[in-house]
Amino acid sequence: MDPHERMAAYQARVEAALAARLPSEDHVPRRLHEAMRYVALGGGKRVRPLLVYFTGEVLDLDPAVLDAPACAIELIHAYSLVHDDLPAMDDDDMRRGRPTCHIAYDEATAILVGDALQVLAFEILGTDPTLQRDANTRLALINLLSQAAGPSGMAGGQAIDVESTGKPMSRDELAFMHRLKTGALIRASVLLAALCRTDLAEPRRVALERFSELAGHAFQVQDDILDVEGEAERLGKTPGADEARHKPTYPSIVGLDEAKRIARDLYQSSLDALADFGEKAEPLRWLAAYIIERDY
Ligand code: GRG
């Protein structure tokens, strides 16, 4: 299978893995369960699970072992989108081409959906039998994901974002905010898979970490570019939202052309980080290219 076909297969794989692990809408509280399934199933590029599975290919891991980390990282991401869309934060009506959770349901349900998806992610890492790893590895996975999602990761980055809207920001401050808000989960996606390879040599883990940080940064710069250049239908949300909210972005701070140059440089550096893996790292090189060439 070529990488496009493998990407589609992994997207279908994580969809089925999520569907099997989310609570059934036949069980009480039905509305909460239905809303959890509404936000977590049937949408999104699944970039973070793809990073888990493609890193697994590089490290010769059985994808069955990676279903649990792939689901866990996507559930954290899905929760963050639900909370980010709330009126108290970005107040968005559309996400992934359909009404956001608080519009389709209500605000209280959306808050609870976020809470419940976040907790389910950690429950899966702690207990899912398909993971086939001992308690020490499970604990390491939980530690990694909690740090990536917490105050020194995604939630911290979101706090800086909320505080800085409408205020001037330097390029370094913007990079720091994105490293926490978006980069931490992208980095964790690669490192969760790496932790599943319990005999991985430290220099290889460090190389993957560097790749993940550079690719995560490229992902965010491309996201800022798409907010300027993207098409609403493709994006599944309204472009121009960052500018309308006076949010600092790469195009607003350094200009669109320079933002594109930065994205290309980050992409190239992410490839350099994988040099020692040789041919074996082709899946991750392909995914890095997808991240900066994507149009949604
Ligand atoms: C609420 C704690 C908390 C955090 C929210 C994810 C996030 C932090 C904010 C979303 C706002 C945003 C546009 C961030 C930029 C990058 C990003 C995370 C985009 C959305 O991720 P994609 O493109 O979305 O992977 P899909 O829908 O494909 O999964």
Side-chain angles (χ1 to χ4, degrees):
M1 276 199 279
D2 74 17
H4 268 111
E5 290 169 331
R6 297 210 308 286
M7 176 168 91
Y10 285 134
Q11 285 167 331
R13 182 178 183 106
V14 76
E15 181 78 13
L18 285 166
R21 286 163 177 80
L22 284 158
S24 163
E25 45 205 27
D26 296 336
H27 295 151
V28 176
R30 289 196 182 87
R31 187 175 163 82
L32 176 65
H33 293 170
E34 186 192 298
M36 289 169 76
R37 298 182 78 90
Y38 173 80
V39 302
L41 299 176
K45 298 176 289 295
R46 310 299 197 192
V47 165
R48 295 153 195 81
L50 288 170
L51 280 162
V52 174
Y53 290 120
F54 276 66
T55 304
E57 286 192 4
V58 175
L59 301 178
D60 288 323
L61 285 160
D62 179 352
V65 165
L66 298 175
D67 288 338
C71 286
I73 197 90
E74 184 65 15
L75 289 170
I76 295 287
H77 171 58
Y79 122 70
S80 80
L81 297 180
V82 172
H83 280 191
D84 184 64
D85 291 334
L86 284 167
M89 294 213 198
D90 271 2
D91 195 9
D92 272 314
D93 290 354
M94 292 296 285
R95 168 74 67 181
R96 294 174 166 174
R98 48 190 183 168
T100 47
C101 187
H102 66 278
I103 297 290
Y105 292 87
D106 54 74
E107 273 184 52
T109 302
I111 292 168
L112 290 169
V113 162
D115 296 342
L117 292 175
Q118 173 162 216
V119 173
L120 179 59
F122 292 105
E123 184 186 334
I124 287 172
L125 291 180
T127 62
D128 197 298
T130 63
L131 183 55
Q132 293 173 42
R133 291 295 180 273
D134 67 13
N136 284 338
T137 302
R138 287 182 186 271
L139 194 56
L141 293 167
I142 290 168
N143 278 343
L144 176 67
L145 189 59
S146 56
Q147 278 169 20
S152 46
M154 184 183 70
Q158 182 76 349
I160 297 172
D161 184 314
V162 169
E163 284 163 19
S164 61
T165 298
K167 296 185 188 144
M169 208 183 221
S170 71
R171 186 175 148 178
D172 285 351
E173 288 168 332
L174 181 68
F176 178 70
M177 177 183 81
H178 286 329
R179 177 144 59 85
L180 271 54
K181 190 176 102 164
T182 319
L185 280 200
I186 301 278
R187 174 178 178 274
S189 305
V190 172
L191 294 183
L192 285 172
L195 276 175
C196 290
R197 180 93 234 178
T198 49
D199 58 354
L200 185 66
E202 182 60 7
R204 299 228 136 184
R205 194 202 62 76
V206 170
L208 287 171
E209 182 176 25
R210 177 146 178 76
F211 164 79
S212 67
E213 290 172 354
L214 291 159
H217 198 166
F219 179 89
Q220 181 59 58
V221 181
Q222 181 63 14
D223 207 73
D224 284 358
I225 293 168
L226 285 173
D227 194 66
V228 178
E229 289 196 323
E231 288 171 24
E233 209 173 306
R234 251 343 246 144
L235 293 175
K237 60 180 183 180
T238 321
D242 291 341
E243 198 186 345
R245 291 189 191 103
H246 307 290
K247 282 201 178 206
T249 63
Y250 278 89
S252 71
I253 290 179
V254 299
L256 191 55
D257 289 344
E258 177 65 3
K260 288 181 179 176
R261 196 193 58 74
I262 292 170
R264 274 195 307 276
D265 284 356
L266 287 165
Y267 163 67
Q268 189 52 53
S269 303
S270 77
L271 300 188
D272 296 345
L274 296 173
D276 284 352
F277 285 88
E279 282 289 297
K280 194 73 196 158
E282 269 322 300
L284 284 178
R285 291 191 187 98
W286 184 87
L287 199 54
Y290 166 78
I291 281 173
I292 74 144
E293 282 161 14
R294 72 198 166 97
D295 61 359
Y296 78 108

